[in-house]
Amino acid sequence: MRRVLSVIVLNEHGVLSRIVGLFSGRGYNIDSLTVAPLSGGEFSRVNIVTSGNERVFEQIVKQLHKLIPTYKVIESEEFIEKEMALVKIPLSENLGGLDAVLKAYNGTIANSNENFLFLMVADDVNRIDNFLKTIKKYSPSDIVRSGSVLMEIK
């Protein structure tokens, strides 16, 4: 079962390693992890995407609440969740139809050089998955995903 957490923590040394330690110490995998400071700089938001059973997840949430630098743990389903992907495609490929694919997924050509096109797409996680399946016909030489970025709807 896929789970999404957003944890607001104090910006202090070692907080991220303590959070990751909670997961690894219980054999729980982190599928995606993004961290960025909030305005003001005193706090950061740690976005975690994971999967696993309910019992272990509840234990991790309880442990996160006990961490001293943790200000708030948000485990609501009420998030706007987006992800970004960058894709490098050789210019030697047949690029017919690429414009239509980019338009369908709100993608853009982020950069280019004499050998490659660099595509960028930012959207929901499922749409990024579908974009990456569709773009396979252009033989991408490299794909990089950002991980999920979350914001509460409330």
Side-chain angles (χ1 to χ4, degrees), residues 61-133:
V61 170
K62 287 177 186 174
Q63 294 298 315
L64 282 170
H65 281 289
K66 290 180 182 179
L67 279 179
I68 299 300
T70 299
Y71 175 71
K72 185 177 183 183
V73 178
I74 308 159
E75 53 180 313
S76 167
E77 296 291 323
E78 307 232 352
F79 289 117
I80 295 172
E81 180 180 2
K82 298 293 179 183
E83 188 172 326
M84 184 187 74
L86 292 172
V87 180
K88 181 165 61 171
I89 296 179
L91 284 174
S92 58
E93 288 297 315
N94 177 359
L95 302 177
L98 182 61
D99 284 343
V101 172
L102 289 174
K103 186 178 273 188
Y105 289 98
N106 299 317
T108 61
I109 296 173
N111 206 334
S112 66
N113 63 25
E114 62 276 356
N115 298 315
F116 298 100
L117 276 180
F118 300 88
L119 311 177
M120 181 186 78
V121 63
D123 211 326
D124 297 331
V125 174
N126 292 335
R127 287 188 44 86
I128 296 290
D129 290 338
N130 291 336
F131 172 78
L132 295 178
K133 288 175 189 170

Side-chain angles (χ1 to χ4, degrees), residues 4-15:
V4 180
L5 277 175
S6 189
V7 184
I8 309 299
V9 295
L10 285 172
N11 276 340
E12 62 180 49
H13 182 72
V15 173

